[in-house]
Amino acid sequence: MKFYRSAWLIGTLALLVYGFRVAMYGAPTEATMGNIQRIFYCHFPAWIAMSLCFAANLIASIAYLSWRNSNSLRALKSDALALATAEMGVIFCLVGLVTGSLWARPVWGIWWTWDERLTSTLVLWLIYVSYLLLRNFAEGPQMRTLSAVLAIFGFLDIPIVYMSTRWWRTQHPAPVILGGPNSGLDPSMWSAVWWNLAAWVSWGAFVVVNRYRLERERQRVDEIAVLRALEPATEVNR
């Protein structure tokens, strides 16, 4: 098992290095924006990985609510996965916000503007940060239930983020991919997109899997502590 995790980590690092190399030196320079466009090769994979993490968090949260009264083991596993994916989703969302600001400064002349895409994304990040804070400051089944409900509510912002540039006229650029007429990338740029997308998703999955394992171990420790706390009371009753 350790060999498997080590091989996965080495492969992920290799993908990240190669993806960076392709983005910096393999992809052509964009005619209008120049080299600053290369941030896209980090920005886009971060958004995709974020969406996958929050989608997994949604599914795990619904699973927890479905199993919490009928199958405690499956419920706890679902809760552990929900936590792991939420943490990684928050990181990817932050990466997307930061890389977007780095792109905006030379292109727009400002670091931030309160347009619909950026504002809805910031709200999304704050919702899931609130989710993590709730889990840190509350305990027990009630905390897990409230967190699952908050996660379901938070995911409702994902379609708003995605559709914001279609529903409203924003300062944010129109969608590059699946954006309609005159959208899309030059075919020579797709190699950088796919390599970086594979690298970032692999990195996210690696962290989620290991974070899930740690959370399951913490759950087992908590269960043992509860059982030990009940032992004296059981002995007195005997």
Side-chain angles (χ1 to χ4, degrees), residues 115-167:
D115 83 333
E116 287 79 358
R117 168 60 66 84
L118 275 66
T119 303
S120 58
T121 304
L122 179 61
V123 169
L124 179 70
W125 184 77
L126 291 173
I127 289 173
Y128 281 95
V129 168
S130 301
Y131 171 94
L132 297 179
L133 289 175
L134 174 62
R135 297 192 65 105
N136 284 330
F137 289 104
E139 295 181 356
Q142 185 178 12
M143 173 272 291
R144 295 188 178 101
T145 300
L146 291 174
S147 298
V149 173
L150 180 57
I152 295 170
F153 167 76
F155 190 81
L156 296 177
D157 192 30
I158 293 283
I160 297 175
V161 172
Y162 178 75
M163 296 298 296
S164 58
T165 55
R166 294 170 170 83
W167 288 343

Side-chain angles (χ1 to χ4, degrees), residues 10-57:
I10 293 171
T12 298
L13 292 175
L15 278 174
L16 287 168
V17 171
Y18 186 73
F20 178 81
R21 180 180 178 278
V22 173
M24 292 297 103
Y25 306 109
T29 303
E30 207 272 337
T32 304
M33 291 179 286
N35 284 323
I36 193 65
Q37 181 271 342
R38 297 182 191 278
I39 291 178
F40 174 81
Y41 301 120
C42 294
H43 186 71
F44 176 72
W47 284 143
I48 296 298
M50 175 202 74
S51 300
L52 292 174
C53 285
F54 287 155
N57 172 266

Side-chain angles (χ1 to χ4, degrees), residues 64 68 71-80 139-141 144 212 214-232:
Y64 172 79
R68 62 192 172 113
N71 192 319
S72 60
L73 178 59
R74 287 185 178 180
L76 287 173
K77 287 182 177 180
S78 299
D79 182 70
E139 295 181 356
R144 295 188 178 101
Y212 168 82
L214 289 174
E215 181 61 17
R216 285 293 294 143
E217 288 297 324
R218 189 196 65 79
Q219 289 176 350
R220 294 186 187 99
V221 170
D222 288 347
E223 289 175 356
I224 292 172
V226 170
L227 291 174
R228 288 179 177 174
L230 293 175
E231 284 179 359

Side-chain angles (χ1 to χ4, degrees), residues 77-129:
K77 287 182 177 180
S78 299
D79 182 70
L81 179 61
L83 175 60
T85 50
E87 289 178 344
M88 202 64 219
V90 165
I91 292 173
F92 280 130
C93 189
L94 183 60
V95 170
L97 288 169
V98 170
T99 53
S101 294
L102 291 174
W103 173 87
R105 183 64 181 87
V107 176
W108 291 345
I110 53 175
W111 294 101
W112 181 268
T113 181
W114 293 98
D115 83 333
E116 287 79 358
R117 168 60 66 84
L118 275 66
T119 303
S120 58
T121 304
L122 179 61
V123 169
L124 179 70
W125 184 77
L126 291 173
I127 289 173
Y128 281 95
V129 168

Side-chain angles (χ1 to χ4, degrees), residues 181-202:
N182 300 320
S183 66
L185 293 173
D186 186 274
S188 60
M189 295 179 173
W190 277 106
S191 177
V193 171
W194 291 122
W195 280 110
N196 280 279
L197 182 59
W200 285 62
V201 170
S202 178

